[in-house]
Structures are given as structure tokens and as C-alpha cells.
Amino acid sequence: MPRIVSVWLPQWPIHRWLAAERRRPSGVPVDPEAPFVLADATDAPRITALNPAALKSGLAVGERLADARARIGALQVRISDCAADADALARLARWATRYTPSVALFGEASGADGFFLDVTGAAHLLGGERELLSDLAQRLRSFGLPSCLAIAETPGTAWAVSHFARTPERIIERGAERETLSPLPVAALRLSPETALTLRRLGFKRIGDLIGKARAPFAARFEKELLIRLDRALGLAAEPLRLLAPPPAYICTRSLLEPISTEDAILTAAGRLMENLVPKLEADDTGARALRLDLYRVDGAVQRLGVRLTLPTQSPEHVTRLLRLKLERLARELEAGFGFETLSLAVTVAERIQPRQRTLATASEDAERERRFTNLLDALRQRLGAESVRHLAPVASHWPERSQASSLAPEKAMPWPDAESPRPPLLLPRPEPADVVAPIPNGPPMRLRWRGKVHTIMHAEGPERIAAEWWRSETCPPTRDYYLVENGTGHRFWLFREGIPGRGRVTPRWFVHGLFA
């Protein structure tokens, strides 16, 4: 059964704003002990968040700022920044992946001030659920973030307990959802304010007042939100979480006794993580095609390094080498701060490794050639960037512009066909017009004027007639006659005449399409 942790950060916008102010002070500093509120930037601003001092003064979220100022003259006010709050919460949630890769934000319907952790099968790594919650709460306090935590089988129960339970015991045992939820107010079901208000007016103040009652009257009186929330909290219906990222195929995490910051120490730890993953990969006959190394800093920031491979691998040495190249390229962007205390290596894409022939000499040579080629591609991608290394693949078309395509990663493709006529190593992005003197009607070129220079043709081969595919009627260009020509200095050009003299209404024109060495 699943085990879900609800991490609620009370007054999250206030704490986020104060933390940002401490890092980059500007203007008059805010006194956190005095009444302080955040307000929206509208013509009639209202309070969006407030600190405990403002709450004790009788202010409330949603109150008009003008009314609040009339009641408290020395009220400290700043403009709220919802986008910055959401970005900071997402960064904090990514940091929480040190406990589990399955992390999901609350969302607007649940307050947008916390996140869920699916720690199913992960709590034992920290000694149990109680130790996990204690460690998580302690680390959040070190960031200056008070939190309310709870763990249960369903996100709904965990959220309700973290927000409304008044007891220090926040670990809900399996099957205790009904007993736990019964004394909590109906607002603990994450209902809309209108639905919660209507229920209270009808006398349904506690969740226990709803449990066991006939469902038909509720379905007729309220939106389906009520029954769905109740069923999800009790575990009668599934509540899928929108995870920040899909769970990796394989993952290995290691917490260090002392933080590390040097490149060699990071690579050594990453290599050991890969060695721990190898037995699992071998047992499943799979290899890593894409990996992600997460570096968790002491101050809560997370640095991520992604590596994609040409072919799946189980080699720790190869992975470590690629990570070294990645670190060298991103040396200026990698900020170690006070060091990294936890490292996690995840195989985000895994592929089955096909068995290979190991006995025949030719098979061994082919495998070694392929290994060296793929290692070179992987190294170039880490050194230059994935966007800088492209792969050409043949396309089933005789038309030169369509006969090949480039991609970022080489895939299994059809073999290159044997051309009857030579093709230039350099094909121009588009054919360039040229002036050509040639005998009529089908004689070879004798003189070429291109890019302002005149070339006397000494040798010519051709023509090679190429017609467009007949099924591309909407873009069917005239037939081309290609020639390979050479001038007096040895420069060779690949040019063509568009259109056949004496046929059709198209006047033949000449173009240069490629260059030879």
C-alpha cells in the first residue's frame, strides 16, 4: 500500500519573501516581529498573506488593504509575487527528491503552499517513517521554514492531518483513515469555500458527520467534488499525483558523512552509485541510455547534470568519463556552496541490451568499432553540447534536398545506398543561380559564371537526370539534369539544368548545387 507524506509550509509566501529579502536586501528592512502583510497589485488591493503578528492583530487573508491600514497604522506592506512563490516552491520540491523521486506539488486547489512525497518503500532508508519525518522537519527548520508534516495511505488524509490535526502524532497507520478524519472539520477535505460553508450551514461540521450517510442527497445537492474528495481521503478512490518528473527506471542515492565540493570527489561518488546500479541492470538485461546526477547542497539547492548516451551501457567507467566531460564544460555554472551532502544517480531511460556474438573475429571487430564510435559521439556531446553534434541519415528519395536528414541522436536507420554517380561532400543549403554556356539542346557546360567569377570548363561528366517523386504533385519541380564539371584550376562543381530544352513551357535555368574538394 502507498505511503504519502504531506509537507505543509504555513505562511509560505511570507517566509519565502523574508528569505529573499535576507539574500538581497533592498529599501527599508521588514521587522518580522511586527505586523507584516503581502497584498496584490490591483486598484483595490487585498491581503494575500500575513505573518503571525498581523494575524494576532485581527487581520485576515482577503481583507481590503485600506481597511487593514485604518486599523493598524504601522502595518508593513509589500507586493506579493505569486510567480516567485511558485518557482521557489518547485525548487524546494526538487530538493525533497533526496527522499524519494516521486514528488508532487499541492496545486491551487490544495493551497499551493506545500507538496506530497510518495515514500512507498523508501522510509526504511532513513530508519523508518518517524525518522524520515524528523529528518525532513529538521532540515526545513534549518532553512527557516516551519512545517507541518503527516504521513498516511492517501494524499487526502495526509493533507487533512498536516493542516488540521492538533496532536503531535502525525503518522496515520494503515486502515485508520476513517477514525482519523472523523473529528476533523469538513474543510479538511480540500473543498471549495462555498461547499464548506453550505455544509456547515446544514449542520455538517465534521467529516464524521458525512461518513456513512446516504450519498444520493449529497450528489443531488452538491457538485461531485464533495463525494470524490471524501472517497479519495478514505482510500475508496484513487488520487493520482502529478509528479514533478516521471519516476526513473533505476535510482541510487547516497548521503555523505561530510559534504564534498571537488570534481574528483563528485566523480568518485557518482562512479560508486553507478556500480551499485550495475547488478540491477544486468539482472534485467538492460542498460542506461540516459542518466541524471542530482547534487544536493547543504543549503537546499539542487544541481542537476544530465547525460544521454548513443547506446545503452552498463559501464561505470564510461558513465564517469562522460560526467567528467560534463563537469568540465559546466565548471563555471556549477556552484558547490558549502558542499554537496547527498548525491543521487537515476537512470531516466533504460533500454534492453541485445546479445552480441563474442566468438567470431569479425563480430568482435565490428563490436569494438561500434563501441569506439559511440564512445566518441558521447564524449563530443558532453564536451560540445548535445545540440552541437548531429547525425546524418539517408532518406528514401532521389531528390538531393530530400535524400538525407539530420537528427540529434543516431538511431537505427537504413544503410546508405551506393550512388551510381558521385555526390559532392558539400551540398549548398539551396541551389544558387548561375550563368552557363552550353551547346543546345543537351550539350555539357562549357563556361560557368557563379558568384561573380567566370570558370572555363575543362572536363564535364553527365548528364544524370533526376525527376521529383510523382506523388509530390503539389510541389513537383521541373526535371533536373546534373553535371559534374571541373575548371582549369582543378575546382569541381555539381550543377544542374532545370527543365528540358524544347519541352514544356519552363525556360531551362542553371544552378550550382554542390562542391567537390
Side-chain angles (χ1 to χ4, degrees):
M1 297 298 291
R3 298 296 284 171
I4 308 298
V5 176
S6 172
V7 181
W8 179 39
L9 306 171
Q11 302 167 356
W12 162 249
I14 293 290
H15 290 293
R16 200 280 312 168
W17 197 96
L18 293 175
E21 181 67 16
R22 287 193 296 269
R23 290 193 301 269
R24 295 183 297 273
S26 61
V28 180
V30 171
D31 181 6
E33 302 300 326
F36 167 54
V37 301
L38 296 175
D40 54 30
T42 60
D43 295 336
R46 293 181 178 273
I47 296 176
T48 60
L50 65 170
N51 70 345
L55 185 62
K56 291 180 181 179
S57 300
L59 303 183
V61 174
E63 184 177 350
R64 291 172 58 91
L65 182 60
D67 297 338
R69 278 177 164 160
R71 295 166 55 187
I72 303 177
L75 183 63
Q76 304 173 101
V77 181
R78 297 293 187 272
I79 301 300
S80 61
D81 190 342
C82 296
D85 294 339
D87 291 342
L89 185 61
R91 290 195 298 271
L92 185 64
R94 283 195 294 270
W95 165 84
T97 57
R98 70 194 310 276
Y99 297 98
T100 173
S102 302
V103 180
L105 298 175
F106 277 173
E108 292 296 333
S110 302
D113 53 3
F115 47 87
F116 293 113
L117 303 177
D118 187 346
V119 296
T120 306
H124 69 281
L125 299 176
L126 287 174
E129 295 178 351
R130 195 177 306 278
E131 288 74 12
L132 186 150
L133 293 184
S134 176
D135 182 81
L136 177 56
Q138 187 276 328
R139 291 181 185 276
L140 290 174
R141 282 195 300 270
S142 69
F143 301 154
L145 296 174
S147 61
C148 295
L149 312 179
I151 183 169
E153 279 195 0
T154 66
T157 298
W159 189 94
V161 172
S162 66
H163 283 70
F164 293 92
R166 295 293 180 263
T167 60
E169 184 63 44
R170 299 295 179 90
I171 299 179
I172 311 305
E173 300 298 334
R174 292 175 172 85
E177 291 81 13
R178 182 185 297 261
E179 178 184 353
T180 302
L181 293 173
S182 292
L184 301 182
V186 292
L189 290 177
R190 294 176 289 169
L191 303 174
S192 64
E194 296 79 10
T195 301
L197 178 60
T198 303
L199 285 171
R200 287 195 299 270
R201 287 175 175 174
L202 294 174
F204 298 100
K205 298 180 179 180
R206 305 292 177 185
I207 297 178
D209 299 334
L210 304 175
I211 298 176
K213 297 296 189 296
R215 300 171 64 91
F218 291 111
R221 178 64 178 81
F222 298 95
E223 297 290 337
K224 60 181 181 180
E225 167 203 23
L226 172 60
L227 295 179
I228 289 177
R229 291 290 190 186
L230 181 61
D231 289 344
R232 287 179 172 177
L234 294 174
L236 303 177
E239 181 177 354
L241 299 178
R242 300 182 61 180
L243 303 180
L244 292 178
Y250 304 89
I251 187 171
C252 185
T253 303
R254 182 179 182 184
S255 296
L256 307 175
L257 295 177
E258 294 291 338
I260 60 175
S261 58
T262 64
E263 179 181 314
D264 290 339
I266 293 173
L267 293 174
T268 299
R272 291 174 180 172
L273 292 176
M274 185 61 190
E275 291 175 358
N276 293 337
L277 291 176
V278 168
K280 302 177 183 178
L281 296 173
E282 291 179 343
D284 296 339
D285 292 329
T286 59
R289 183 72 187 274
L291 301 103
R292 185 186 69 238
L293 177 65
D294 292 335
L295 307 172
Y296 299 89
R297 280 188 351 201
V298 175
D299 60 357
V302 182
Q303 300 279 341
R304 286 188 165 178
L305 301 177
V307 175
R308 298 193 67 87
L309 296 95
T310 305
L311 292 176
T313 185
Q314 298 175 347
S315 171
E317 294 78 12
H318 184 47
V319 171
T320 303
R321 177 170 176 264
L322 297 182
L323 288 173
R324 181 182 297 278
L325 295 174
K326 190 84 169 184
L327 286 172
E328 291 175 356
R329 187 168 68 90
L330 302 177
R332 296 182 179 180
E333 302 178 15
L334 190 67
E335 299 179 1
F338 292 103
F340 303 107
E341 60 178 354
T342 301
L343 284 79
S344 176
L345 184 65
V347 178
T348 55
V349 178
E351 290 184 2
R352 184 174 180 81
I353 294 182
Q354 299 297 331
R356 297 181 181 276
Q357 176 64 262
R358 299 179 181 273
T359 56
L360 299 179
T362 55
S364 177
E365 293 175 0
D366 292 341
E368 176 63 18
R369 187 182 302 110
E370 182 181 30
R371 185 190 66 82
R372 295 174 60 184
F373 173 69
T374 55
N375 288 354
L376 174 62
L377 285 180
D378 292 338
L380 290 175
R381 286 195 179 92
Q382 308 315 313
R383 174 73 73 176
L384 305 176
E387 298 290 337
S388 301
V389 181
R390 305 188 70 87
H391 171 74
L392 289 178
V395 178
S397 175
H398 293 291
W399 209 246
E401 296 94 323
R402 304 167 182 160
S403 62
Q404 60 188 18
S406 65
S407 61
L408 295 178
E411 303 290 347
K412 295 294 182 179
M414 56 184 296
W416 287 95
D418 295 330
E420 297 181 359
S421 301
R423 292 291 183 264
L426 175 61
L427 195 68
L428 300 179
R430 59 182 58 85
E432 297 183 7
D435 295 327
V436 173
V437 175
I440 298 177
N442 294 317
M446 300 178 62
R447 181 171 297 178
L448 166 66
R449 181 181 181 87
W450 176 58
R451 293 186 176 178
K453 293 184 179 181
V454 178
H455 304 271
T456 300
I457 305 303
M458 306 302 295
H459 303 282
E461 297 180 7
E464 177 189 2
R465 180 158 295 178
I466 299 179
E469 293 87 349
W470 58 267
W471 57 87
R472 296 179 181 267
S473 57
E474 72 283 356
T475 58
C476 184
T479 301
R480 297 174 179 178
D481 284 337
Y482 277 85
Y483 292 87
L484 191 161
V485 300
E486 181 179 339
N487 65 6
T489 58
H491 292 88
R492 297 191 296 171
F493 307 87
W494 201 47
L495 49 89
F496 67 86
R497 179 178 57 223
E498 185 180 76
I500 301 176
R503 297 185 185 179
R505 299 179 180 178
V506 179
T507 302
R509 297 182 301 168
W510 289 87
F511 297 85
V512 175
H513 203 178
L515 303 175
F516 289 84

